[in-house]
Amino acid sequence: MTQPSTISVERLTPGIRKITFSNPPVNLIVGETVSRLVEVVTELSEDPQVHVVVFTSSTPGYFFNHFDLGRVADFMPSDPEATPEWIDLVVRLSTAPFISIASIRGRTRGGGDELALACDLRYASREHALFGQPEVGGGILPGGGGTEHLPRLIGRDRALEAILSSDDYDADAAERYGWVTRTVADTELDGFVDGMATRLASFDKAALATAKAQVNRGTLPPDADLRAAYTQFLTSLTWPGPQAFQPQFEKLAAEKGPEELELRLGHYLGIARQESR
């Protein structure tokens, strides 16, 4: 029996599309998520009507979460010479001829944070958005653009703090750092994003796309750096560090439950790391 897609696409107006992610209970990114997003972003890039694409989630407490490392084979490229599918996605998204808006309510970590970073604009619920790059805490490396996009937004030292600590950052800290475009009161987030999308969709598409391309020239990392980071991510999965850490983390998951673990992932990563030594 075919499983329903984790991605749905809605036509809000002729110029606006909404992409909704749903993989309850904790919105882990799986291989189907990536494949479907590549298809959707490609299709929308070729549609001359589409001016704005909004990314959101229907799972309470979560935007896009991290990769499901229990299904790591999903993220292994079948052709070692080909561009990894995740890198293809973030490059396509950041260079697409439409404006992408992440409407962030809930936990946004790892690959989910990297997807948000590839979007053009990021608006976050002040009360309910949370951000993190938890990979180093688990003994592996970010591989989907976190180490390339985040320093360009928030600076080297703050990016090092976020990536090395593997901790969670609330929306207020993310706004101060420049991690998000701005935070908005949760009750106002949907209306604010709708208003921005409507405003941008009313402008000439050529002007929007060309202005974005001009800004991109001075701000986006080289594609080769993104591919190198993904290769290092795959290599890090074979290091002894994550192999030694995983049993302790699984023990915590059994004690606390996977949903509790995801609610406070940064906190529990620190506990598991200390207890694995």
Side-chain angles (χ1 to χ4, degrees):
M1 181 177 172
T2 303
Q3 293 295 315
S5 177
T6 56
I7 298 296
S8 62
V9 183
E10 184 180 358
R11 182 181 185 272
L12 299 183
T13 72
I16 303 173
R17 301 292 184 274
K18 181 168 75 171
I19 295 175
T20 302
F21 179 45
S22 178
N23 190 24
V26 295
N27 265 17
L28 296 180
I29 295 173
V30 296
E32 186 276 337
T33 309
V34 184
S35 299
R36 183 62 184 135
L37 282 173
V38 170
E39 291 175 358
V40 169
V41 170
T42 302
E43 291 167 3
L44 297 180
S45 295
E46 295 169 353
D47 188 334
Q49 280 197 311
V50 176
H51 288 49
V52 180
V53 176
V54 177
F55 287 79
T56 188
S57 162
S58 64
T59 301
Y62 293 89
F63 182 61
F64 285 69
N65 205 357
H66 55 82
F67 291 167
D68 183 353
L69 292 181
R71 299 171 60 175
V72 71
D74 289 357
F75 307 104
M76 296 288 189
S78 55
D79 179 358
E81 300 300 318
T83 299
E85 200 166 34
W86 182 258
I87 300 305
D88 186 29
L89 170 62
V90 297
V91 170
R92 284 179 184 273
L93 181 57
S94 59
T95 59
F98 54 73
I99 306 304
S100 53
I101 301 176
S103 180
I104 302 168
R105 180 181 278 117
R107 286 148 185 81
T108 306
R109 301 189 183 105
D113 185 54
E114 290 169 334
L115 180 78
L117 292 171
C119 288
D120 302 316
L121 301 169
R122 288 165 298 284
Y123 298 118
S125 163
R126 184 171 297 123
E127 297 90 342
H128 299 301
L130 202 69
F131 301 85
Q133 290 287 160
E135 293 88 351
V136 169
I140 60 175
L141 298 174
T147 48
E148 289 67 44
H149 284 133
L150 195 57
R152 286 169 166 81
L153 289 173
I154 70 175
R156 178 180 182 273
D157 55 340
R158 283 174 166 170
L160 278 171
E161 180 197 78
I163 291 167
L164 299 181
S165 73
S166 300
D167 211 348
D168 291 328
Y169 287 73
D170 64 25
D172 287 335
E175 183 177 47
R176 286 197 309 273
Y177 281 16
W179 201 323
V180 296
T181 311
R182 72 170 77 184
T183 62
V184 181
D186 188 70
T187 56
E188 300 172 10
L189 178 63
D190 295 336
F192 181 89
V193 169
D194 289 347
M196 180 62 71
T198 300
R199 177 180 174 85
L200 295 179
S202 73
F203 294 164
D204 182 74
K205 179 168 182 174
L208 291 171
T210 306
K212 172 178 169 174
Q214 288 185 194
V215 172
N216 281 353
R217 283 202 299 268
T219 57
L220 288 186
D223 294 359
D225 289 356
L226 293 167
R227 288 194 293 271
Y230 198 84
T231 298
Q232 290 175 322
F233 157 68
L234 294 178
T235 300
S236 73
L237 293 173
T238 68
W239 290 347
Q243 313 305 321
F245 169 77
Q246 193 62 29
Q248 191 59 48
F249 196 66
E250 290 175 354
K251 178 184 174 185
L252 260 180
E255 292 173 356
K256 305 293 184 181
E259 291 185 48
E260 166 63 18
L261 211 67
E262 289 294 338
L263 287 175
R264 304 177 65 201
L265 183 60
H267 170 73
Y268 288 120
L269 278 173
I271 291 177
R273 178 56 66 188
Q274 291 168 15
E275 293 184 355
S276 67
R277 293 192 178 281

